[in-house]
Amino acid sequence: MCGTCGCSGGSEGGTGTRIAVPHAHPHDGDHENGHGHEHENGHEHSHLREHAGPHRGHARPVAIRGAAGGGETITLEQRVLAKNEDLAARNRSWLAEQGIVAVNMMSSPGAGKTTVLERTIRDFAGQRPVAVIEGDQETMLDADRIKRAGSTVVQVNTGAGCHLDAEMMRDALITLAPVSGSLVLVENVGNLVCPALFDLGERSRVVIISVTEGTDKPLKYPYMFAAADLVIINKIDLLPYVDFDVTRCEEYARSVNPGLRSLAVSATTGEGMGDWYDWVAGQY
Ligand code: MG
């Protein structure tokens, strides 16, 4: 739990979460607040929707301290995470029923998540349906990029929140309505801390690190790398110009998560992206 920054597990807790689709989408303008709208073709999402009601309430991740000097601390973080785990399990069950693979993509800002997604969408065109959930604090910028790349996309703006959670994932899936067999790529909010703590119900977790970052990122942010199923080292086309040791970074990553797979790619040039596509195929 992100106790220091005070982020919550709830999407209605005052962080201003909004779920929206890019302009010119058939559902244009229908989803500005993202909650409680009806999807005309949404009956295939009944499993997600019918469980929505009882889980709308939120416990905030705050500690309540006894006022009379007793030092009693009741931490609600466990309740928030337990609620999130429950919703994540429902998401995971629904996705499995639909034969949909959801991959949670996490990284620092600027590591190249959106660029990896754009290239993946273009290279998968005609082979595998791809749908994208874009998480950012503000703007539709990434959703617009993804739409231009040819994918259906939902933008989740978390406001002050620094991660996606399972409720946002559920609401985004209802809006996105991915077809059976889809690959759902979830671009989480860019940071290496909070997103690692919130299960979305995804099939697998990928952390992207770029060679313009420090080789020692896995040691500095071990929880993220411990939670990952795959590390993608991106922007390897820039290796001649930066001080980054791919092998050492991989060693650091495996020091916190033995057996963690890693791939080195350039989403700009396409180098190594085939290995990423093979990994995706192995998730089905
Ligand atoms: Mg992005």
Side-chain angles (χ1 to χ4, degrees):
M1 180 61 65
C2 187
T4 302
C5 72
C7 67
S8 81
S11 58
E12 295 175 306
T15 56
T17 303
R18 299 184 304 276
I19 297 178
V21 295
H23 292 299
H25 185 279
H27 303 292
D28 182 27
D30 288 339
H31 308 292
E32 282 304 308
N33 59 24
H35 295 293
H37 76 271
E38 294 299 324
H39 238 282
E40 291 179 1
N41 64 345
H43 46 268
E44 70 269 31
H45 299 283
S46 59
H47 182 75
L48 283 171
R49 189 192 305 282
E50 70 191 15
H51 294 294
H55 301 279
R56 286 295 187 179
H58 293 285
R60 300 280 292 168
V62 296
I64 301 173
R65 299 183 185 282
E72 180 185 6
T73 300
I74 304 171
T75 302
L76 301 182
E77 294 172 357
Q78 285 186 321
R79 287 180 51 194
V80 173
L81 286 175
K83 175 190 288 291
N84 190 76
E85 295 294 315
D86 179 52
L87 280 170
R90 295 175 191 275
N91 289 345
R92 183 168 286 111
S93 174
W94 182 83
L95 289 164
E97 289 170 9
Q98 304 298 314
I100 296 170
V101 168
V103 181
N104 185 2
M105 313 284 287
M106 297 172 284
S107 80
S108 303
K113 293 187 298 299
T114 311
T115 306
V116 169
L117 266 55
E118 287 176 309
R119 189 159 199 122
T120 302
I121 291 161
R122 292 192 169 105
D123 287 348
F124 277 13
Q127 301 176 42
R128 187 185 299 282
V130 179
V132 173
I133 297 170
E134 274 290 339
D136 284 298
Q137 289 193 319
E138 296 293 346
T139 83
M140 295 282 290
L141 294 172
D142 280 359
D144 290 339
R145 285 175 60 182
I146 293 300
K147 185 171 181 293
R148 284 196 295 273
S151 173
T152 55
V153 58
V154 168
Q155 178 80 52
V156 180
N157 286 140
T158 60
C162 50
H163 62 270
L164 297 177
D165 65 25
E167 184 177 30
M168 298 175 200
M169 175 81 163
R170 180 201 61 195
D171 290 348
L173 285 170
I174 291 171
T175 303
L176 190 60
V179 300
S180 295
S182 293
L183 172 66
V184 173
L185 296 171
V186 183
E187 181 175 341
N188 216 313
V189 181
N191 75 80
L192 289 174
V193 183
C194 311
L197 300 172
F198 286 83
D199 186 1
L200 306 180
E202 71 277 60
R203 170 69 176 82
S204 47
R205 295 174 158 203
V206 175
V207 57
I208 300 177
I209 181 173
S210 68
V211 303
T212 53
E213 303 172 54
T215 299
D216 54 5
K217 276 284 176 65
L219 300 180
K220 291 179 174 178
Y221 300 94
Y223 295 103
M224 174 61 72
F225 288 84
D229 299 298
L230 176 71
V231 174
I232 293 177
I233 299 173
N234 189 28
K235 306 187 186 181
I236 57 172
D237 53 304
L238 300 179
L239 278 172
Y241 315 106
V242 296
D243 181 21
F244 187 94
D245 188 326
V246 171
T247 301
R248 180 164 295 178
C249 181
E250 291 173 327
E251 290 172 354
Y252 287 156
R254 289 185 187 114
S255 75
V256 299
N257 187 350
L260 181 59
R261 286 201 59 194
S262 59
L263 305 172
V265 311
S266 168
T268 300
T269 68
E271 183 180 359
M273 291 294 284
D275 295 333
W276 156 239
Y277 303 149
D278 290 342
W279 184 88
V280 168
Q283 301 304 297
Y284 282 85

